């Protein structure tokens, strides 16, 4: 068995995926640009944790920007043992896309193209590529579960638009070059080593510092919170089962159980032993009121199903938070 290229290896989901691959004996080539969207020190600590317990040479890290296509192509050509790709690197965050739009086209459009072109030039050596998309492609909806065949041509943010562009580009590379690609639309991932810009981190930080939590749309938001270890199990299931013929498959990967933001707050109050102060605010541009994954296709094709309830996942998160912050 060859090695797996993981882009976004220092990121939240990418680091968890690397750890799972290393634990089952895989060789992993990690790529990340360690950009300052949030504190790079957190990313470096994730990377340091990956090397603990790994055998020498099992994890090889390269600090590269996905938008530097020449560097990405050179790396993929030089790592001759690569036979699978898990492309999780991206510029995340709906709200920041209002402030730094060009960062999103660089990472999510040019970066996607860099990886697709690298896979194409491998001339069949890379037998399967799994890449991260997002539930944001479904736009602002409140009409029940989101299904892969639903329309995704009305994104509510530039972030969503760039990720939709990545899906369309993948379609073209399958048609042109016969690649085997699987896109996974992630739904509101949380858990240990999470991102500081996401609700679980923001709420926990505010509560432990005695600051109010900002609840947009006056708290009337529902999210399909999905524990990171469930997400990683789904990524591995997809990666291990490439399509039999050239194809581009798309799957939702979420908890299939939307929860009110107030449920997340209540779970954090219980785990942290702190009563939250709430600041109710109007809806923010680019945000959506609900996310809700229909994951029947993941169940059918890979036997995957989430197993972590929100209260249990928040318990894992709170224990990590205390350990991380001493």
């Amino acid at each position: 068995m060859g090695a797996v290229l993981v882009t976004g290896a220092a990121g939240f989901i990418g680091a968890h995926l690397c750890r799972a691959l290393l634990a089952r004996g895989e060789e992993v080539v990690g790529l990340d640009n360690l950009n300052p969207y949030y504190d790079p020190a957190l990313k470096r600590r994730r990377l340091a944790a990956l090397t603990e317990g790994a055998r020498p040479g099992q994890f090889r890290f390269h600090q590269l920007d996905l938008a530097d296509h020449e560097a990405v192509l050179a790396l993929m050509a030089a790592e001759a043992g690569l036979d699978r790709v898990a492309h999780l690197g991206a510029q995340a965050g709906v709200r920041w896309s209002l402030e730094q739009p060009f960062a999103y086209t660089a990472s999510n459009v040019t970066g996607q193209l860099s990886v697709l072109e690298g896979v194409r030039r491998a001339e069949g050596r890379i037998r399967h590529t799994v890449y991260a998309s997002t539930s944001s492609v479904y736009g602002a909806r409140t009409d029940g579960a989101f299904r892969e065949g639903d329309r995704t041509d009305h994104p509510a943010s530039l972030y969503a638009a760039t990720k939709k562009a990545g899906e369309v580009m993948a379609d073209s590379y399958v048609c042109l070059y016969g690649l085997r690609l699987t896109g996974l639309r992630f739904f509101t991932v949380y858990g240990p080593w999470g991102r500081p810009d996401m609700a679980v981190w923001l709420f926990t930080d505010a509560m432990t510092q005695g600051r109010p939590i900002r609840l947009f749309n006056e708290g009337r938001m529902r999210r399909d919170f999905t524990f990171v270890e469930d997400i990683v199990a789904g990524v591995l299931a997809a990666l291990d089962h490439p399509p039999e013929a050239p194809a581009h498959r798309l799957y939702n990967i979420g908890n299939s159980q939307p929860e009110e933001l107030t449920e997340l707050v209540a779970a954090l109050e219980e785990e942290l032993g702190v009563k939250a102060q709430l600041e109710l605010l109007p809806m923010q541009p680019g945000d959506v009121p609900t996310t809700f994954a229909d994951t029947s296709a993941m169940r059918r094709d890979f036997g995957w199903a989430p197993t972590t309830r929100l209260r249990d996942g928040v318990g894992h998160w709170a224990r990590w938070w205390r350990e991380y912050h001493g």
Side-chain angles (χ1 to χ4, degrees):
M1 183 175 292
V4 183
L5 172 65
V6 178
T7 71
F12 169 35
I13 303 172
H16 277 277
L17 177 63
C18 287
R19 184 181 67 177
L21 288 165
L22 293 169
R24 68 182 199 177
E26 300 263 21
E27 283 191 27
V28 177
V29 178
L31 183 158
D32 202 293
N33 67 355
L34 301 178
N35 75 14
Y37 169 59
Y38 59 84
D39 188 358
L42 174 60
K43 303 177 185 182
R44 293 191 181 96
R45 289 184 68 173
R46 292 180 186 134
L47 289 173
L50 288 177
T51 60
E52 298 172 4
R55 65 179 185 270
Q58 188 185 7
F59 179 70
R60 302 185 294 279
F61 177 71
H62 301 266
Q63 185 172 346
L64 290 177
D65 193 322
L66 286 167
D68 184 351
H69 66 273
E70 291 184 354
V72 173
L73 293 174
L75 170 64
M76 295 179 71
E79 289 283 356
L82 293 178
D83 66 354
R84 287 153 295 154
V85 174
H87 174 36
L88 307 185
Q91 179 56 62
V94 169
R95 291 164 190 161
W96 205 56
S97 68
L98 302 176
E99 302 172 25
Q100 298 291 335
F102 291 103
Y104 288 77
T105 55
S107 183
N108 302 352
V109 179
T110 302
Q112 175 85 335
L113 181 58
S114 297
V115 172
L116 290 172
E117 186 64 14
V119 172
R120 177 188 77 81
R121 295 188 187 192
E123 296 180 340
R125 170 169 52 88
I126 295 175
R127 53 191 172 88
H128 191 202
T129 299
V130 173
Y131 71 91
S133 188
T134 175
S135 63
S136 295
V137 299
Y138 291 108
R141 291 178 42 185
T142 57
D143 56 350
F146 303 174
R147 297 175 176 84
E148 291 88 349
D150 293 348
R151 293 185 64 172
T152 55
D153 53 355
H154 293 288
S157 66
L158 179 68
Y159 166 67
T162 60
K163 297 299 278 184
K164 175 61 179 178
E167 293 183 359
V168 176
M169 291 161 63
D171 266 338
S172 70
Y173 263 68
V174 170
C175 292
L176 289 168
Y177 306 116
L179 305 186
R180 288 173 167 84
L181 306 175
T182 300
L184 300 176
R185 291 171 174 167
F186 294 159
F187 281 70
T188 316
V189 189
Y190 73 100
W193 294 104
R195 293 197 338 246
D197 64 320
M198 298 192 74
V200 174
W201 184 299
L202 292 170
F203 291 2
T204 302
D205 189 56
M207 290 169 67
T208 55
Q209 297 295 322
R211 301 193 313 273
I213 290 173
R214 305 171 73 200
L215 291 181
F216 295 99
N217 200 31
E218 299 183 340
R220 296 189 299 272
M221 307 274 272
R222 300 172 75 231
R223 288 292 181 267
D224 203 345
F225 294 106
T226 313
F227 192 59
V228 65
E229 291 187 6
D230 288 334
I231 288 286
V232 167
V235 175
L236 290 174
L239 189 65
D240 291 344
H241 295 87
E244 294 182 2
H248 177 215
R249 308 176 301 186
L250 285 168
Y251 295 95
N252 290 334
I253 179 167
N255 206 43
S256 295
Q257 189 174 341
E259 306 265 8
E260 298 280 351
L261 283 186
T262 52
E263 287 296 317
L264 172 62
V265 173
L268 287 169
E269 288 178 328
E270 182 177 323
E271 290 295 334
L272 300 172
V274 177
K275 183 67 176 176
Q277 306 170 49
L278 305 182
E279 181 182 357
L280 303 182
L281 298 169
M283 193 76 159
Q284 280 214 137
D287 220 337
V288 297
T290 301
T291 63
F292 184 2
D294 179 329
T295 59
S296 56
M298 283 286 292
R299 295 172 186 264
R300 178 195 68 220
D301 291 354
F302 308 126
W304 175 87
T307 61
T308 309
R309 299 182 310 157
L310 179 62
R311 291 288 175 126
D312 296 333
V314 168
H316 292 303
W317 158 260
R319 285 189 288 276
W320 173 83
W321 177 271
R322 294 189 187 97
E323 181 180 341
Y324 185 79
H325 291 278

